Amino acid sequence: MPACITTPIYYVNDRPHIGHAYTTTVCDVWARAMRLRGEDVFFLTGTDEHGVKVEKSAAAKGVTPQALADENAAEFRRVLQVFGLSNDDFIRTTEPRHERQVQRFVKRLLDSGAVYLGTFEGWYDEGQEEYYTETKAKELDYKSPISGKPLARATEQNYYFRLSAFQERLERFFAEHPGFVQPDARRNEVLGRLRDGLQDVPMTRTNFTWGIPFPGDEKHVIYVWIDALFNYVTALGMGDPDGSIAPGLHAQRAKYWPAQYHVIGKEILWFHAVIWPALLMALELPLPRCIHAHSFWIADGQKMSKSMGNFVDLPTIEGYFAKYGLDAWRWYMATQGPLQASDSDFRAQHFHDTYTSELVNVVGNCPSRVTAMIGKYFDGAMPEDAARGGEWPARCAQAVTAWTRAIDELDLVAAANAPMALLRDVDAFINRTEPFKVAKDPARAGELASILAQCAEAVRIAGVLLEPFLPGKMAELDAALGTPGGAVRTFSARTVWGALPPGTRLAKCALFPRVEAAKA
Ligand code: MSP
């Protein structure tokens, strides 16, 4: 079945940093894992380019908002390439294909009665461009939960989305789809806020012009959040079934909707878990299957901030690439990151220790031992295993099953653990069976062949499962294990026991060099 995964679209008034790198890497690992399984995946990311923040940043720099957006969108694109991310499209909200579909969607909402012109008064968070109810504002002590700046009392005549009309349908939807928002802690927050009751939300602005004009009343521009949420469907041509805006888009991509995962940060959950589903309901479009809201990276125990100098920005990340390699960075993001309900602390020492204990000592060392012994005792040729794998085929099949289930649930830690546990078992098996001693007794040559063939085969299968996390290094491993290149290899063919024929030439491999400890 076709599957789609999305990142948030990133604001162009910021430079790429760990927050962007993290969400995009999580999605990339999932997309690669699904493709490895032979699934038809669409991985979407892009940039959010409208709104007062971009307008103001551009004015401060003395450039047009479009020029600022072009420059920073290009930077985000460049960074995706540097990171080797495998997105299938990069959508920009200033592209005509997006703007015109958004106008069509908004027109449909207006025609259906889900949008009306009215006056609104509320507590406004300027930095977040978000309104809060009296109850919520009071709870926040009338301060922005993000910037800490005071909320402003604001009145506006605007077009509103009739969110309140969707209260019951949303409650029913949440009850019927308990996995819709993940993790559970986040779902409970949404349910709590939903119980307070929904208010209609303004969906246009008149106090600035950098946005998509509201169809039929162009002194209004469409609120940046409404504009931005639609990216998930405009990229798939869902607002353009006849292909008159972007020929071919809908025909090729409509199959990817509804998305399997919208992966986002926890601070933008309300928009994704409540407003977005209500908009889709109003448009009679299917709802995404899961909104996964991760937590935050903090640094050295504190919230990251530019002024504190603990911000993991692009130059910092590139420093890690230079020292440990790209795959090591991916590994740390995917296995130590805040995918669940708690924040993760980014520490140079912890990065280093994770690299050494997992990548050097296990993922690097285990294949290196196995290929070195096959080199030494069998002249680099895959030995013949008369015992046909012993316990190993079942053990490997179990790892494949655990990995598959974990990928289905976007549980990257469990997905990484399945092959890691397999490699650790191989190490334990080597320590227990002691092939280096067996090798000294010519009468035990058959036993030696079995041990090493079993190790090589288990290492190969673990390597396949590690590929989405460590694509560069696992390609090296694949090559070292002499796996036939070029041929079309399905996931089941690659993970089945015995795919490495006896006699295959295996090369020694050193995947992760030891790196000197980080300076405190
Ligand atoms: N443009 C909106 C999203 C619109 S989606 C229809 C936006 N953009 S953003 O650039 O500010 O945020 C991008 C993402 O980065 C968010 O998901 C946010 O959670 C994430 N992160 C920003 N800082 C972060 C950390 N320190 N740690 C992890 N992720 C964080 O919001």
Short mmCIF file of all heavy atoms in Angstrom, two decimals, residues 430-461:
data_model
loop_
_atom_site.label_atom_id
_atom_site.label_comp_id
_atom_site.label_asym_id
_atom_site.label_seq_id
_atom_site.Cartn_x
_atom_site.Cartn_y
_atom_site.Cartn_z
N ILE A 430 30.70 -15.90 19.26
CA ILE A 430 32.14 -16.02 18.97
C ILE A 430 32.91 -16.25 20.27
O ILE A 430 33.78 -17.13 20.35
CB ILE A 430 32.67 -14.76 18.24
CG1 ILE A 430 32.03 -14.65 16.86
CG2 ILE A 430 34.20 -14.79 18.12
CD1 ILE A 430 32.35 -13.35 16.11
N ASN A 431 32.56 -15.49 21.29
CA ASN A 431 33.26 -15.65 22.57
C ASN A 431 33.04 -17.03 23.16
O ASN A 431 33.92 -17.61 23.78
CB ASN A 431 32.81 -14.57 23.56
CG ASN A 431 33.19 -13.18 23.07
OD1 ASN A 431 34.01 -13.05 22.16
ND2 ASN A 431 32.59 -12.16 23.66
N ARG A 432 31.84 -17.56 22.94
CA ARG A 432 31.51 -18.86 23.51
C ARG A 432 32.14 -20.00 22.71
O ARG A 432 32.69 -20.94 23.26
CB ARG A 432 29.98 -19.01 23.52
CG ARG A 432 29.45 -20.06 24.46
CD ARG A 432 27.92 -19.99 24.59
NE ARG A 432 27.24 -20.21 23.34
CZ ARG A 432 26.43 -19.34 22.74
NH1 ARG A 432 26.21 -18.15 23.28
NH2 ARG A 432 25.84 -19.63 21.60
N THR A 433 32.04 -19.93 21.38
CA THR A 433 32.50 -21.05 20.55
C THR A 433 34.01 -20.98 20.26
O THR A 433 34.60 -21.97 19.82
CB THR A 433 31.74 -21.08 19.20
OG1 THR A 433 31.85 -19.79 18.60
CG2 THR A 433 30.27 -21.41 19.42
N GLU A 434 34.59 -19.81 20.47
CA GLU A 434 36.03 -19.61 20.31
C GLU A 434 36.61 -20.17 19.00
O GLU A 434 37.47 -21.06 19.02
CB GLU A 434 36.77 -20.20 21.52
CG GLU A 434 36.29 -19.56 22.82
CD GLU A 434 37.06 -20.03 24.04
OE1 GLU A 434 37.10 -21.26 24.24
OE2 GLU A 434 37.62 -19.19 24.75
N PRO A 435 36.16 -19.64 17.87
CA PRO A 435 36.67 -20.14 16.57
C PRO A 435 38.19 -20.07 16.46
O PRO A 435 38.80 -20.93 15.83
CB PRO A 435 35.98 -19.24 15.54
CG PRO A 435 35.39 -18.10 16.30
CD PRO A 435 35.17 -18.57 17.69
N PHE A 436 38.80 -19.06 17.11
CA PHE A 436 40.27 -18.93 17.05
C PHE A 436 40.96 -20.13 17.71
O PHE A 436 42.07 -20.48 17.36
CB PHE A 436 40.71 -17.61 17.69
CG PHE A 436 39.78 -17.14 18.77
CD1 PHE A 436 39.94 -17.58 20.09
CD2 PHE A 436 38.69 -16.33 18.46
CE1 PHE A 436 39.06 -17.18 21.08
CE2 PHE A 436 37.80 -15.93 19.47
CZ PHE A 436 37.98 -16.35 20.78
N LYS A 437 40.28 -20.79 18.66
CA LYS A 437 40.86 -22.02 19.25
C LYS A 437 40.53 -23.23 18.38
O LYS A 437 41.37 -24.09 18.16
CB LYS A 437 40.31 -22.24 20.66
CG LYS A 437 40.93 -21.29 21.67
CD LYS A 437 40.60 -21.71 23.08
CE LYS A 437 41.10 -20.64 24.06
NZ LYS A 437 40.37 -20.70 25.34
N VAL A 438 39.25 -23.26 17.92
CA VAL A 438 38.82 -24.37 17.06
C VAL A 438 39.77 -24.49 15.86
O VAL A 438 40.11 -25.59 15.41
CB VAL A 438 37.35 -24.15 16.60
CG1 VAL A 438 36.91 -25.27 15.65
CG2 VAL A 438 36.41 -24.08 17.80
N ALA A 439 40.20 -23.31 15.36
CA ALA A 439 41.05 -23.29 14.16
C ALA A 439 42.37 -24.03 14.35
O ALA A 439 43.00 -24.46 13.38
CB ALA A 439 41.32 -21.84 13.76
N LYS A 440 42.77 -24.20 15.60
CA LYS A 440 44.07 -24.85 15.84
C LYS A 440 44.01 -26.37 15.66
O LYS A 440 45.03 -27.03 15.57
CB LYS A 440 44.55 -24.51 17.26
CG LYS A 440 44.90 -23.05 17.35
CD LYS A 440 45.61 -22.73 18.66
CE LYS A 440 45.96 -21.25 18.65
NZ LYS A 440 45.54 -20.57 19.86
N ASP A 441 42.78 -26.92 15.62
CA ASP A 441 42.62 -28.37 15.52
C ASP A 441 42.06 -28.73 14.13
O ASP A 441 40.88 -28.53 13.85
CB ASP A 441 41.64 -28.81 16.62
CG ASP A 441 41.43 -30.31 16.64
OD1 ASP A 441 41.95 -30.99 15.72
OD2 ASP A 441 40.73 -30.78 17.55
N PRO A 442 42.91 -29.27 13.25
CA PRO A 442 42.47 -29.56 11.88
C PRO A 442 41.26 -30.49 11.84
O PRO A 442 40.45 -30.43 10.91
CB PRO A 442 43.68 -30.23 11.24
CG PRO A 442 44.84 -29.89 12.12
CD PRO A 442 44.31 -29.63 13.50
N ALA A 443 41.10 -31.33 12.88
CA ALA A 443 39.96 -32.26 12.90
C ALA A 443 38.63 -31.52 13.06
O ALA A 443 37.57 -32.07 12.79
CB ALA A 443 40.13 -33.26 14.05
N ARG A 444 38.71 -30.28 13.48
CA ARG A 444 37.47 -29.52 13.71
C ARG A 444 37.20 -28.49 12.60
O ARG A 444 36.49 -27.50 12.81
CB ARG A 444 37.54 -28.84 15.08
CG ARG A 444 37.57 -29.83 16.23
CD ARG A 444 37.81 -29.15 17.56
NE ARG A 444 36.62 -28.46 18.06
CZ ARG A 444 36.63 -27.65 19.12
NH1 ARG A 444 37.76 -27.41 19.77
NH2 ARG A 444 35.52 -27.06 19.51
N ALA A 445 37.74 -28.74 11.43
CA ALA A 445 37.60 -27.78 10.33
C ALA A 445 36.14 -27.53 9.97
O ALA A 445 35.72 -26.39 9.67
CB ALA A 445 38.37 -28.26 9.11
N GLY A 446 35.32 -28.58 9.99
CA GLY A 446 33.89 -28.45 9.64
C GLY A 446 33.17 -27.55 10.64
O GLY A 446 32.36 -26.70 10.27
N GLU A 447 33.52 -27.72 11.90
CA GLU A 447 32.92 -26.91 12.97
C GLU A 447 33.28 -25.43 12.78
O GLU A 447 32.44 -24.55 12.89
CB GLU A 447 33.45 -27.43 14.31
CG GLU A 447 32.70 -26.95 15.52
CD GLU A 447 33.40 -27.44 16.80
OE1 GLU A 447 34.02 -28.54 16.79
OE2 GLU A 447 33.34 -26.71 17.79
N LEU A 448 34.56 -25.20 12.48
CA LEU A 448 35.03 -23.83 12.26
C LEU A 448 34.26 -23.18 11.10
O LEU A 448 33.81 -22.04 11.20
CB LEU A 448 36.53 -23.84 11.95
CG LEU A 448 37.16 -22.48 11.69
CD1 LEU A 448 37.17 -21.64 12.98
CD2 LEU A 448 38.59 -22.61 11.16
N ALA A 449 34.09 -23.96 10.03
CA ALA A 449 33.37 -23.43 8.86
C ALA A 449 31.95 -23.05 9.24
O ALA A 449 31.45 -21.98 8.87
CB ALA A 449 33.37 -24.48 7.74
N SER A 450 31.29 -23.90 10.01
CA SER A 450 29.91 -23.62 10.41
C SER A 450 29.83 -22.34 11.25
O SER A 450 28.99 -21.47 11.00
CB SER A 450 29.32 -24.78 11.21
OG SER A 450 28.95 -25.79 10.31
N ILE A 451 30.71 -22.26 12.24
CA ILE A 451 30.67 -21.09 13.13
C ILE A 451 30.81 -19.81 12.32
O ILE A 451 30.00 -18.89 12.43
CB ILE A 451 31.80 -21.16 14.19
CG1 ILE A 451 31.57 -22.32 15.14
CG2 ILE A 451 31.89 -19.84 14.97
CD1 ILE A 451 32.76 -22.61 16.06
N LEU A 452 31.82 -19.77 11.47
CA LEU A 452 32.09 -18.50 10.77
C LEU A 452 31.05 -18.22 9.69
O LEU A 452 30.68 -17.06 9.47
CB LEU A 452 33.50 -18.49 10.22
CG LEU A 452 34.56 -18.44 11.33
CD1 LEU A 452 35.98 -18.46 10.75
CD2 LEU A 452 34.39 -17.20 12.22
N ALA A 453 30.55 -19.25 9.06
CA ALA A 453 29.50 -19.04 8.05
C ALA A 453 28.25 -18.50 8.73
O ALA A 453 27.58 -17.59 8.22
CB ALA A 453 29.20 -20.34 7.31
N GLN A 454 27.94 -19.05 9.89
CA GLN A 454 26.76 -18.58 10.61
C GLN A 454 26.94 -17.13 11.05
O GLN A 454 26.02 -16.31 10.94
CB GLN A 454 26.49 -19.49 11.82
CG GLN A 454 25.99 -20.86 11.38
CD GLN A 454 25.92 -21.88 12.50
OE1 GLN A 454 26.02 -21.55 13.67
NE2 GLN A 454 25.76 -23.14 12.12
N CYS A 455 28.12 -16.80 11.52
CA CYS A 455 28.38 -15.41 11.92
C CYS A 455 28.23 -14.47 10.73
O CYS A 455 27.59 -13.42 10.83
CB CYS A 455 29.80 -15.27 12.49
SG CYS A 455 30.01 -16.06 14.08
N ALA A 456 28.82 -14.85 9.61
CA ALA A 456 28.79 -13.96 8.44
C ALA A 456 27.35 -13.73 7.99
O ALA A 456 26.96 -12.61 7.63
CB ALA A 456 29.63 -14.56 7.31
N GLU A 457 26.58 -14.78 8.00
CA GLU A 457 25.20 -14.68 7.53
C GLU A 457 24.36 -13.81 8.49
O GLU A 457 23.57 -12.97 8.05
CB GLU A 457 24.64 -16.10 7.41
CG GLU A 457 23.34 -16.23 6.67
CD GLU A 457 23.31 -15.70 5.24
OE1 GLU A 457 24.37 -15.49 4.63
OE2 GLU A 457 22.20 -15.44 4.77
N ALA A 458 24.56 -13.99 9.77
CA ALA A 458 23.81 -13.18 10.74
C ALA A 458 24.23 -11.71 10.66
O ALA A 458 23.39 -10.80 10.73
CB ALA A 458 24.01 -13.72 12.15
N VAL A 459 25.52 -11.48 10.47
CA VAL A 459 26.02 -10.10 10.31
C VAL A 459 25.40 -9.47 9.06
O VAL A 459 24.97 -8.31 9.07
CB VAL A 459 27.56 -10.10 10.21
CG1 VAL A 459 28.09 -8.80 9.61
CG2 VAL A 459 28.19 -10.35 11.58
N ARG A 460 25.33 -10.25 8.02
CA ARG A 460 24.76 -9.72 6.77
C ARG A 460 23.31 -9.28 6.99
O ARG A 460 22.89 -8.20 6.58
CB ARG A 460 24.84 -10.79 5.68
CG ARG A 460 24.43 -10.30 4.30
CD ARG A 460 24.31 -11.46 3.31
NE ARG A 460 23.28 -12.41 3.71
CZ ARG A 460 21.97 -12.20 3.58
NH1 ARG A 460 21.53 -11.06 3.07
NH2 ARG A 460 21.10 -13.12 3.99
N ILE A 461 22.55 -10.13 7.66
CA ILE A 461 21.13 -9.81 7.88
C ILE A 461 20.99 -8.60 8.81
O ILE A 461 20.18 -7.70 8.55
CB ILE A 461 20.37 -11.05 8.40
CG1 ILE A 461 20.31 -12.08 7.27
CG2 ILE A 461 18.96 -10.69 8.89
CD1 ILE A 461 19.74 -13.43 7.65
#
